[in-house]
mmCIF file with all atom_site columns, all heavy atoms in Angstrom:
data_model
loop_
_atom_site.group_PDB
_atom_site.id
_atom_site.type_symbol
_atom_site.label_atom_id
_atom_site.label_alt_id
_atom_site.label_comp_id
_atom_site.label_asym_id
_atom_site.label_entity_id
_atom_site.label_seq_id
_atom_site.pdbx_PDB_ins_code
_atom_site.Cartn_x
_atom_site.Cartn_y
_atom_site.Cartn_z
_atom_site.occupancy
_atom_site.B_iso_or_equiv
_atom_site.pdbx_formal_charge
_atom_site.auth_seq_id
_atom_site.auth_comp_id
_atom_site.auth_asym_id
_atom_site.auth_atom_id
_atom_site.pdbx_PDB_model_num
ATOM 1   N N   . ASP A 1 21 ? -17.743 -53.702 41.307 1.00 97.00 ? 21 ASP A N   1
ATOM 2   C CA  . ASP A 1 21 ? -16.957 -53.348 40.126 1.00 97.00 ? 21 ASP A CA  1
ATOM 3   C C   . ASP A 1 21 ? -15.615 -54.073 40.156 1.00 97.00 ? 21 ASP A C   1
ATOM 4   O O   . ASP A 1 21 ? -15.205 -54.700 39.182 1.00 97.00 ? 21 ASP A O   1
ATOM 5   C CB  . ASP A 1 21 ? -16.758 -51.834 40.103 1.00 97.00 ? 21 ASP A CB  1
ATOM 6   C CG  . ASP A 1 21 ? -16.528 -51.265 38.722 1.00 97.00 ? 21 ASP A CG  1
ATOM 7   O OD1 . ASP A 1 21 ? -16.246 -52.029 37.780 1.00 97.00 ? 21 ASP A OD1 1
ATOM 8   O OD2 . ASP A 1 21 ? -16.634 -50.033 38.578 1.00 97.00 ? 21 ASP A OD2 1
ATOM 9   N N   . TRP A 1 22 ? -14.917 -53.989 41.284 1.00 96.00 ? 22 TRP A N   1
ATOM 10  C CA  . TRP A 1 22 ? -13.616 -54.645 41.425 1.00 96.00 ? 22 TRP A CA  1
ATOM 11  C C   . TRP A 1 22 ? -13.730 -56.162 41.327 1.00 96.00 ? 22 TRP A C   1
ATOM 12  O O   . TRP A 1 22 ? -12.790 -56.829 40.919 1.00 96.00 ? 22 TRP A O   1
ATOM 13  C CB  . TRP A 1 22 ? -12.961 -54.267 42.751 1.00 96.00 ? 22 TRP A CB  1
ATOM 14  C CG  . TRP A 1 22 ? -12.618 -52.811 42.859 1.00 96.00 ? 22 TRP A CG  1
ATOM 15  C CD1 . TRP A 1 22 ? -12.201 -51.979 41.855 1.00 96.00 ? 22 TRP A CD1 1
ATOM 16  C CD2 . TRP A 1 22 ? -12.670 -52.010 44.033 1.00 96.00 ? 22 TRP A CD2 1
ATOM 17  N NE1 . TRP A 1 22 ? -11.995 -50.714 42.339 1.00 96.00 ? 22 TRP A NE1 1
ATOM 18  C CE2 . TRP A 1 22 ? -12.274 -50.699 43.676 1.00 96.00 ? 22 TRP A CE2 1
ATOM 19  C CE3 . TRP A 1 22 ? -13.020 -52.265 45.353 1.00 96.00 ? 22 TRP A CE3 1
ATOM 20  C CZ2 . TRP A 1 22 ? -12.215 -49.653 44.588 1.00 96.00 ? 22 TRP A CZ2 1
ATOM 21  C CZ3 . TRP A 1 22 ? -12.960 -51.221 46.264 1.00 96.00 ? 22 TRP A CZ3 1
ATOM 22  C CH2 . TRP A 1 22 ? -12.555 -49.941 45.880 1.00 96.00 ? 22 TRP A CH2 1
ATOM 23  N N   . SER A 1 23 ? -14.889 -56.691 41.704 1.00 97.00 ? 23 SER A N   1
ATOM 24  C CA  . SER A 1 23 ? -15.123 -58.137 41.632 1.00 97.00 ? 23 SER A CA  1
ATOM 25  C C   . SER A 1 23 ? -15.639 -58.560 40.259 1.00 97.00 ? 23 SER A C   1
ATOM 26  O O   . SER A 1 23 ? -15.965 -59.728 40.057 1.00 97.00 ? 23 SER A O   1
ATOM 27  C CB  . SER A 1 23 ? -16.142 -58.566 42.694 1.00 97.00 ? 23 SER A CB  1
ATOM 28  O OG  . SER A 1 23 ? -15.694 -58.246 43.978 1.00 97.00 ? 23 SER A OG  1
ATOM 29  N N   . GLU A 1 24 ? -15.732 -57.599 39.355 1.00 95.00 ? 24 GLU A N   1
ATOM 30  C CA  . GLU A 1 24 ? -16.222 -57.818 38.001 1.00 95.00 ? 24 GLU A CA  1
ATOM 31  C C   . GLU A 1 24 ? -17.663 -58.330 37.974 1.00 95.00 ? 24 GLU A C   1
ATOM 32  O O   . GLU A 1 24 ? -18.051 -59.083 37.090 1.00 95.00 ? 24 GLU A O   1
ATOM 33  C CB  . GLU A 1 24 ? -15.287 -58.722 37.210 1.00 95.00 ? 24 GLU A CB  1
ATOM 34  C CG  . GLU A 1 24 ? -13.910 -58.123 37.036 1.00 95.00 ? 24 GLU A CG  1
ATOM 35  C CD  . GLU A 1 24 ? -12.978 -58.948 36.192 1.00 95.00 ? 24 GLU A CD  1
ATOM 36  O OE1 . GLU A 1 24 ? -13.364 -60.048 35.734 1.00 95.00 ? 24 GLU A OE1 1
ATOM 37  O OE2 . GLU A 1 24 ? -11.842 -58.496 35.993 1.00 95.00 ? 24 GLU A OE2 1
ATOM 38  N N   . GLU A 1 25 ? -18.447 -57.885 38.946 1.00 97.00 ? 25 GLU A N   1
ATOM 39  C CA  . GLU A 1 25 ? -19.875 -58.174 38.977 1.00 97.00 ? 25 GLU A CA  1
ATOM 40  C C   . GLU A 1 25 ? -20.582 -56.934 38.431 1.00 97.00 ? 25 GLU A C   1
ATOM 41  O O   . GLU A 1 25 ? -21.118 -56.113 39.164 1.00 97.00 ? 25 GLU A O   1
ATOM 42  C CB  . GLU A 1 25 ? -20.314 -58.509 40.406 1.00 97.00 ? 25 GLU A CB  1
ATOM 43  C CG  . GLU A 1 25 ? -19.691 -59.792 40.916 1.00 97.00 ? 25 GLU A CG  1
ATOM 44  C CD  . GLU A 1 25 ? -20.152 -60.146 42.317 1.00 97.00 ? 25 GLU A CD  1
ATOM 45  O OE1 . GLU A 1 25 ? -21.367 -60.113 42.569 1.00 97.00 ? 25 GLU A OE1 1
ATOM 46  O OE2 . GLU A 1 25 ? -19.273 -60.425 43.149 1.00 97.00 ? 25 GLU A OE2 1
ATOM 47  N N   . TRP A 1 26 ? -20.532 -56.808 37.100 1.00 96.00 ? 26 TRP A N   1
ATOM 48  C CA  . TRP A 1 26 ? -20.940 -55.587 36.417 1.00 96.00 ? 26 TRP A CA  1
ATOM 49  C C   . TRP A 1 26 ? -22.387 -55.197 36.673 1.00 96.00 ? 26 TRP A C   1
ATOM 50  O O   . TRP A 1 26 ? -22.681 -54.026 36.902 1.00 96.00 ? 26 TRP A O   1
ATOM 51  C CB  . TRP A 1 26 ? -20.686 -55.690 34.915 1.00 96.00 ? 26 TRP A CB  1
ATOM 52  C CG  . TRP A 1 26 ? -19.327 -56.204 34.551 1.00 96.00 ? 26 TRP A CG  1
ATOM 53  C CD1 . TRP A 1 26 ? -19.075 -57.241 33.700 1.00 96.00 ? 26 TRP A CD1 1
ATOM 54  C CD2 . TRP A 1 26 ? -18.046 -55.744 34.972 1.00 96.00 ? 26 TRP A CD2 1
ATOM 55  N NE1 . TRP A 1 26 ? -17.716 -57.445 33.579 1.00 96.00 ? 26 TRP A NE1 1
ATOM 56  C CE2 . TRP A 1 26 ? -17.071 -56.540 34.353 1.00 96.00 ? 26 TRP A CE2 1
ATOM 57  C CE3 . TRP A 1 26 ? -17.632 -54.733 35.837 1.00 96.00 ? 26 TRP A CE3 1
ATOM 58  C CZ2 . TRP A 1 26 ? -15.696 -56.351 34.551 1.00 96.00 ? 26 TRP A CZ2 1
ATOM 59  C CZ3 . TRP A 1 26 ? -16.278 -54.550 36.038 1.00 96.00 ? 26 TRP A CZ3 1
ATOM 60  C CH2 . TRP A 1 26 ? -15.330 -55.345 35.405 1.00 96.00 ? 26 TRP A CH2 1
ATOM 61  N N   . PHE A 1 27 ? -23.296 -56.147 36.591 1.00 97.00 ? 27 PHE A N   1
ATOM 62  C CA  . PHE A 1 27 ? -24.715 -55.824 36.774 1.00 97.00 ? 27 PHE A CA  1
ATOM 63  C C   . PHE A 1 27 ? -24.969 -55.269 38.170 1.00 97.00 ? 27 PHE A C   1
ATOM 64  O O   . PHE A 1 27 ? -25.661 -54.265 38.339 1.00 97.00 ? 27 PHE A O   1
ATOM 65  C CB  . PHE A 1 27 ? -25.590 -57.066 36.518 1.00 97.00 ? 27 PHE A CB  1
ATOM 66  C CG  . PHE A 1 27 ? -27.049 -56.805 36.701 1.00 97.00 ? 27 PHE A CG  1
ATOM 67  C CD1 . PHE A 1 27 ? -27.777 -56.122 35.738 1.00 97.00 ? 27 PHE A CD1 1
ATOM 68  C CD2 . PHE A 1 27 ? -27.697 -57.213 37.857 1.00 97.00 ? 27 PHE A CD2 1
ATOM 69  C CE1 . PHE A 1 27 ? -29.129 -55.863 35.913 1.00 97.00 ? 27 PHE A CE1 1
ATOM 70  C CE2 . PHE A 1 27 ? -29.045 -56.963 38.040 1.00 97.00 ? 27 PHE A CE2 1
ATOM 71  C CZ  . PHE A 1 27 ? -29.765 -56.284 37.062 1.00 97.00 ? 27 PHE A CZ  1
ATOM 72  N N   . ALA A 1 28 ? -24.399 -55.915 39.180 1.00 97.00 ? 28 ALA A N   1
ATOM 73  C CA  . ALA A 1 28 ? -24.576 -55.466 40.563 1.00 97.00 ? 28 ALA A CA  1
ATOM 74  C C   . ALA A 1 28 ? -23.917 -54.101 40.780 1.00 97.00 ? 28 ALA A C   1
ATOM 75  O O   . ALA A 1 28 ? -24.458 -53.242 41.488 1.00 97.00 ? 28 ALA A O   1
ATOM 76  C CB  . ALA A 1 28 ? -24.013 -56.506 41.538 1.00 97.00 ? 28 ALA A CB  1
ATOM 77  N N   . ALA A 1 29 ? -22.758 -53.885 40.165 1.00 98.00 ? 29 ALA A N   1
ATOM 78  C CA  . ALA A 1 29 ? -22.072 -52.593 40.286 1.00 98.00 ? 29 ALA A CA  1
ATOM 79  C C   . ALA A 1 29 ? -22.921 -51.490 39.668 1.00 98.00 ? 29 ALA A C   1
ATOM 80  O O   . ALA A 1 29 ? -23.120 -50.430 40.277 1.00 98.00 ? 29 ALA A O   1
ATOM 81  C CB  . ALA A 1 29 ? -20.707 -52.652 39.601 1.00 98.00 ? 29 ALA A CB  1
ATOM 82  N N   . GLU A 1 30 ? -23.442 -51.748 38.486 1.00 98.00 ? 30 GLU A N   1
ATOM 83  C CA  . GLU A 1 30 ? -24.298 -50.756 37.817 1.00 98.00 ? 30 GLU A CA  1
ATOM 84  C C   . GLU A 1 30 ? -25.513 -50.421 38.686 1.00 98.00 ? 30 GLU A C   1
ATOM 85  O O   . GLU A 1 30 ? -25.864 -49.254 38.857 1.00 98.00 ? 30 GLU A O   1
ATOM 86  C CB  . GLU A 1 30 ? -24.759 -51.296 36.464 1.00 98.00 ? 30 GLU A CB  1
ATOM 87  C CG  . GLU A 1 30 ? -25.663 -50.351 35.721 1.00 98.00 ? 30 GLU A CG  1
ATOM 88  C CD  . GLU A 1 30 ? -26.186 -50.929 34.426 1.00 98.00 ? 30 GLU A CD  1
ATOM 89  O OE1 . GLU A 1 30 ? -26.166 -52.166 34.249 1.00 98.00 ? 30 GLU A OE1 1
ATOM 90  O OE2 . GLU A 1 30 ? -26.637 -50.145 33.581 1.00 98.00 ? 30 GLU A OE2 1
ATOM 91  N N   . LYS A 1 31 ? -26.110 -51.432 39.256 1.00 96.00 ? 31 LYS A N   1
ATOM 92  C CA  . LYS A 1 31 ? -27.293 -51.234 40.100 1.00 96.00 ? 31 LYS A CA  1
ATOM 93  C C   . LYS A 1 31 ? -26.959 -50.365 41.323 1.00 96.00 ? 31 LYS A C   1
ATOM 94  O O   . LYS A 1 31 ? -27.708 -49.458 41.672 1.00 96.00 ? 31 LYS A O   1
ATOM 95  C CB  . LYS A 1 31 ? -27.838 -52.594 40.531 1.00 96.00 ? 31 LYS A CB  1
ATOM 96  C CG  . LYS A 1 31 ? -29.112 -52.544 41.307 1.00 96.00 ? 31 LYS A CG  1
ATOM 97  C CD  . LYS A 1 31 ? -29.602 -53.953 41.614 1.00 96.00 ? 31 LYS A CD  1
ATOM 98  C CE  . LYS A 1 31 ? -30.816 -53.925 42.507 1.00 96.00 ? 31 LYS A CE  1
ATOM 99  N NZ  . LYS A 1 31 ? -31.259 -55.270 42.882 1.00 96.00 ? 31 LYS A NZ  1
ATOM 100 N N   . ALA A 1 32 ? -25.828 -50.631 41.961 1.00 96.00 ? 32 ALA A N   1
ATOM 101 C CA  . ALA A 1 32 ? -25.435 -49.868 43.152 1.00 96.00 ? 32 ALA A CA  1
ATOM 102 C C   . ALA A 1 32 ? -25.115 -48.412 42.797 1.00 96.00 ? 32 ALA A C   1
ATOM 103 O O   . ALA A 1 32 ? -25.539 -47.491 43.502 1.00 96.00 ? 32 ALA A O   1
ATOM 104 C CB  . ALA A 1 32 ? -24.246 -50.530 43.841 1.00 96.00 ? 32 ALA A CB  1
ATOM 105 N N   . TYR A 1 33 ? -24.390 -48.202 41.697 1.00 97.00 ? 33 TYR A N   1
ATOM 106 C CA  . TYR A 1 33 ? -24.087 -46.823 41.280 1.00 97.00 ? 33 TYR A CA  1
ATOM 107 C C   . TYR A 1 33 ? -25.370 -46.069 40.941 1.00 97.00 ? 33 TYR A C   1
ATOM 108 O O   . TYR A 1 33 ? -25.541 -44.913 41.326 1.00 97.00 ? 33 TYR A O   1
ATOM 109 C CB  . TYR A 1 33 ? -23.155 -46.808 40.069 1.00 97.00 ? 33 TYR A CB  1
ATOM 110 C CG  . TYR A 1 33 ? -21.753 -47.286 40.334 1.00 97.00 ? 33 TYR A CG  1
ATOM 111 C CD1 . TYR A 1 33 ? -21.087 -48.075 39.394 1.00 97.00 ? 33 TYR A CD1 1
ATOM 112 C CD2 . TYR A 1 33 ? -21.064 -46.945 41.489 1.00 97.00 ? 33 TYR A CD2 1
ATOM 113 C CE1 . TYR A 1 33 ? -19.793 -48.517 39.607 1.00 97.00 ? 33 TYR A CE1 1
ATOM 114 C CE2 . TYR A 1 33 ? -19.777 -47.382 41.714 1.00 97.00 ? 33 TYR A CE2 1
ATOM 115 C CZ  . TYR A 1 33 ? -19.140 -48.175 40.762 1.00 97.00 ? 33 TYR A CZ  1
ATOM 116 O OH  . TYR A 1 33 ? -17.862 -48.600 40.986 1.00 97.00 ? 33 TYR A OH  1
ATOM 117 N N   . LYS A 1 34 ? -26.276 -46.738 40.243 1.00 97.00 ? 34 LYS A N   1
ATOM 118 C CA  . LYS A 1 34 ? -27.546 -46.093 39.887 1.00 97.00 ? 34 LYS A CA  1
ATOM 119 C C   . LYS A 1 34 ? -28.373 -45.783 41.129 1.00 97.00 ? 34 LYS A C   1
ATOM 120 O O   . LYS A 1 34 ? -29.034 -44.753 41.196 1.00 97.00 ? 34 LYS A O   1
ATOM 121 C CB  . LYS A 1 34 ? -28.348 -46.973 38.929 1.00 97.00 ? 34 LYS A CB  1
ATOM 122 C CG  . LYS A 1 34 ? -27.825 -46.949 37.521 1.00 97.00 ? 34 LYS A CG  1
ATOM 123 C CD  . LYS A 1 34 ? -28.714 -47.792 36.626 1.00 97.00 ? 34 LYS A CD  1
ATOM 124 C CE  . LYS A 1 34 ? -28.370 -47.649 35.174 1.00 97.00 ? 34 LYS A CE  1
ATOM 125 N NZ  . LYS A 1 34 ? -29.264 -48.446 34.319 1.00 97.00 ? 34 LYS A NZ  1
ATOM 126 N N   . ARG A 1 35 ? -28.326 -46.660 42.111 1.00 95.00 ? 35 ARG A N   1
ATOM 127 C CA  . ARG A 1 35 ? -29.050 -46.423 43.364 1.00 95.00 ? 35 ARG A CA  1
ATOM 128 C C   . ARG A 1 35 ? -28.499 -45.171 44.058 1.00 95.00 ? 35 ARG A C   1
ATOM 129 O O   . ARG A 1 35 ? -29.260 -44.335 44.547 1.00 95.00 ? 35 ARG A O   1
ATOM 130 C CB  . ARG A 1 35 ? -28.927 -47.641 44.274 1.00 95.00 ? 35 ARG A CB  1
ATOM 131 C CG  . ARG A 1 35 ? -29.611 -47.514 45.598 1.00 95.00 ? 35 ARG A CG  1
ATOM 132 C CD  . ARG A 1 35 ? -31.075 -47.872 45.499 1.00 95.00 ? 35 ARG A CD  1
ATOM 133 N NE  . ARG A 1 35 ? -31.630 -47.915 46.832 1.00 95.00 ? 35 ARG A NE  1
ATOM 134 C CZ  . ARG A 1 35 ? -32.568 -47.087 47.268 1.00 95.00 ? 35 ARG A CZ  1
ATOM 135 N NH1 . ARG A 1 35 ? -33.100 -46.211 46.459 1.00 95.00 ? 35 ARG A NH1 1
ATOM 136 N NH2 . ARG A 1 35 ? -33.001 -47.154 48.500 1.00 95.00 ? 35 ARG A NH2 1
ATOM 137 N N   . ALA A 1 36 ? -27.183 -45.042 44.088 1.00 96.00 ? 36 ALA A N   1
ATOM 138 C CA  . ALA A 1 36 ? -26.571 -43.843 44.678 1.00 96.00 ? 36 ALA A CA  1
ATOM 139 C C   . ALA A 1 36 ? -27.013 -42.601 43.915 1.00 96.00 ? 36 ALA A C   1
ATOM 140 O O   . ALA A 1 36 ? -27.319 -41.573 44.515 1.00 96.00 ? 36 ALA A O   1
ATOM 141 C CB  . ALA A 1 36 ? -25.044 -43.966 44.671 1.00 96.00 ? 36 ALA A CB  1
ATOM 142 N N   . LEU A 1 37 ? -27.107 -42.706 42.591 1.00 97.00 ? 37 LEU A N   1
ATOM 143 C CA  . LEU A 1 37 ? -27.512 -41.564 41.776 1.00 97.00 ? 37 LEU A CA  1
ATOM 144 C C   . LEU A 1 37 ? -28.995 -41.248 41.910 1.00 97.00 ? 37 LEU A C   1
ATOM 145 O O   . LEU A 1 37 ? -29.397 -40.106 41.724 1.00 97.00 ? 37 LEU A O   1
ATOM 146 C CB  . LEU A 1 37 ? -27.134 -41.799 40.312 1.00 97.00 ? 37 LEU A CB  1
ATOM 147 C CG  . LEU A 1 37 ? -25.632 -41.740 40.044 1.00 97.00 ? 37 LEU A CG  1
ATOM 148 C CD1 . LEU A 1 37 ? -25.313 -42.202 38.638 1.00 97.00 ? 37 LEU A CD1 1
ATOM 149 C CD2 . LEU A 1 37 ? -25.106 -40.341 40.305 1.00 97.00 ? 37 LEU A CD2 1
ATOM 150 N N   . GLU A 1 38 ? -29.793 -42.236 42.243 1.00 95.00 ? 38 GLU A N   1
ATOM 151 C CA  . GLU A 1 38 ? -31.210 -41.966 42.527 1.00 95.00 ? 38 GLU A CA  1
ATOM 152 C C   . GLU A 1 38 ? -31.329 -41.095 43.773 1.00 95.00 ? 38 GLU A C   1
ATOM 153 O O   . GLU A 1 38 ? -32.171 -40.210 43.844 1.00 95.00 ? 38 GLU A O   1
ATOM 154 C CB  . GLU A 1 38 ? -31.983 -43.265 42.752 1.00 95.00 ? 38 GLU A CB  1
ATOM 155 C CG  . GLU A 1 38 ? -32.256 -44.055 41.496 1.00 95.00 ? 38 GLU A CG  1
ATOM 156 C CD  . GLU A 1 38 ? -32.857 -45.418 41.797 1.00 95.00 ? 38 GLU A CD  1
ATOM 157 O OE1 . GLU A 1 38 ? -33.213 -45.703 42.975 1.00 95.00 ? 38 GLU A OE1 1
ATOM 158 O OE2 . GLU A 1 38 ? -32.966 -46.210 40.856 1.00 95.00 ? 38 GLU A OE2 1
#
Side-chain angles (χ1 to χ4, degrees):
D21 206 346
W22 295 325
S23 301
E24 298 183 358
E25 294 181 48
W26 313 128
F27 179 76
E30 179 184 19
K31 185 177 175 183
Y33 291 141
K34 284 183 171 181
R35 179 84 172 116
L37 289 171
E38 286 172 8

